[in-house]
Amino acid sequence: MKDTKMTLPDLFAMKNSGEKIAMLTAYDASFARVLDAAGIDVILVGDSLGMVVLGYESTVPVTMDEMVHHARAVRHGVKRALLVGDMPFLSYQVSVEEAVRNGGRFLKEAGCEAVKLEGGIEVCETVRALVRAGIPVMGHIGLTPQTACQLGGYKVQGRDIDSARRIIREARELERAGAFAVVLECIPDQLAGVISRELAIPTIGIGAGSHCDGQVLVIHDLLGLFEKYVPSFVKVYVKLAPQIKEAVSSYIAEVKSGSFPDSAHSFTMDMAIEDILGDVES
Ligand code: KIV
C-alpha cells in the first residue's frame, strides 16, 4: 500500500497494475480518521448522507450547504485518501454555470480533491465544463439514486439489451468528457466487466460484481449501522447497531442504579472537604 497521499494518477496506475481500488463513504471527521488510518484509497462524502445521517427518506432533499458542511468535517480526518464530494440533486442539473460554481465549492470550501455526479450523456457537457475549470469528476451510472423514480425504483439496471447498450455508451461518453473514474451501481457483473475492460479510466462498482477496478460501499451499511434497508449486494462486516444498543442499555442501567460513575471514573482531591466548606463559610 502506498503510504503517501493518493492522487488521480495513482488510481490509473492501480487500474493498470490490477490492484483493486477500495472506496468507502464518510460523513464526519471521526469516521474519516479511522477509514484513512485503515488504508482506504478513496473517501466519498456521499449524498447518502441524507438517508444514513440526516434521516431523510431519499437523497433528493440533500442540499449543497449540507454536503459542504459534512465534507469539510471529513477533510479534517483525512490525510492519505483521495477525497471526493458528491454533488446533490439539482446542484448540477439547472445550468452548467451553477454546476461549476457548486463543484468549485467542494474544492474551495471543503478541501475535496474531486466531485462525483450522477448521469450519462445528459451530464457530459457539465462534466466537460467542470474538468475545464480544474474540477476532477467521477461519473456515476447504472442505478442513479437521485433519479430512481424515473428508473422505476431502486432496481438493477442494464438487464435487457437496450439498457445494457445505453450504459456502455454512457460509460464511453463520460470517459470522453474527461471523467477520471466512473461508479457503476447495480448492474450485472458481466456488463460491468465489459465496461471495465473497455475503459481506460477505473470503474468503481457497487452492486456491480467483481470485475470492476474498485468497489465502494456506504460505511453505515458495512458496519451494520443502518438497519432500515440493507440492499442485497451489501456485505455487513460487523453488526454494530445491536452492540451499540447493548452498550447504551448498560449505561442507562448503571446510571439508574448509581453504579456509574464508580471511583475509577471520578476525581478525588487530597484536601478534606470540611476544610473547603470552612473556607466557603468564612
Ligand atoms: O451517495 C453515495 O453514498 C453514493 C455511493 C454509495 C456510490 O453515491
Side-chain angles (χ1 to χ4, degrees), residues 25 27 44 46-48 86 116 140 183 185 206 216-218:
T25 65
Y27 315 96
L44 170 72
D47 64 352
S48 47
D86 205 3
K116 176 174 86 58
H140 182 160
V183 169
E185 179 161 353
I206 173 162
V216 59
L217 281 179
V218 169

Side-chain angles (χ1 to χ4, degrees), residues 47 59-60 86-90 92-93 118 144-149:
D47 64 352
T59 57
V60 171
D86 205 3
M87 298 196 66
F89 183 59
L90 282 198
Y92 56 95
Q93 293 92 338
E118 296 180 9
T144 43
Q146 291 174 10
T147 46
C149 267

Side-chain angles (χ1 to χ4, degrees), residues 52-109:
V52 300
V53 173
L54 301 178
Y56 303 157
E57 287 301 316
S58 76
T59 57
V60 171
V62 178
T63 66
M64 265 309 294
D65 285 347
E66 287 167 339
M67 289 304 302
V68 168
H69 179 77
H70 283 267
R72 195 186 296 131
V74 170
R75 174 75 277 163
H76 293 308
V78 178
K79 286 199 183 103
R80 175 186 172 272
L82 187 86
L83 183 57
V84 181
D86 205 3
M87 298 196 66
F89 183 59
L90 282 198
S91 69
Y92 56 95
Q93 293 92 338
V94 176
S95 71
V96 169
E97 287 72 22
E98 219 173 298
V100 172
R101 203 162 290 120
N102 284 325
R105 287 190 65 191
F106 277 104
L107 274 65
K108 283 169 75 81
E109 297 176 38

Side-chain angles (χ1 to χ4, degrees), residues 254-269:
E254 290 189 10
V255 168
K256 303 269 180 202
S257 73
S259 62
F260 176 82
D262 55 10
S263 59
H265 299 96
S266 303
F267 300 106
T268 54
M269 57 190 182

Side-chain angles (χ1 to χ4, degrees), residues 134-269:
I135 303 167
V137 180
M138 178 181 279
H140 182 160
I141 53 177
L143 172 59
T144 43
Q146 291 174 10
T147 46
C149 267
Q150 280 177 336
L151 300 173
Y154 294 87
K155 283 190 189 155
V156 179
Q157 302 294 307
R159 272 192 160 144
D160 61 81
I161 199 155
D162 287 344
S163 75
R165 283 180 178 160
R166 179 178 47 75
I167 292 168
I168 294 172
R169 270 197 303 275
E170 288 175 339
R172 284 181 188 149
E173 288 302 319
L174 283 166
E175 175 170 77
R176 248 177 240 143
F180 72 88
V182 61
V183 169
L184 304 176
E185 179 161 353
C186 274
I187 64 169
D189 191 19
Q190 303 90 322
L191 179 58
V194 166
I195 296 171
S196 303
R197 276 195 299 280
E198 189 178 311
L199 297 193
I201 58 173
T203 59
I204 311 285
I206 173 162
S210 60
H211 299 302
C212 296
D213 302 304
Q215 296 292 327
V216 59
L217 281 179
V218 169
I219 186 66
H220 286 56
D221 289 341
L222 177 153
L223 297 178
L225 277 173
F226 187 71
E227 295 174 304
K228 202 167 158 188
Y229 170 66
V230 185
S232 63
F233 59 77
V234 165
K235 181 168 175 186
V236 181
Y237 284 78
V238 55
K239 290 191 175 171
L240 280 190
Q243 290 183 38
I244 293 173
K245 197 168 162 217
E246 202 182 305
V248 171
S249 301
S250 302
Y251 167 75
I252 294 169
E254 290 189 10
V255 168
K256 303 269 180 202
S257 73
S259 62
F260 176 82
D262 55 10
S263 59
H265 299 96
S266 303
F267 300 106
T268 54
M269 57 190 182

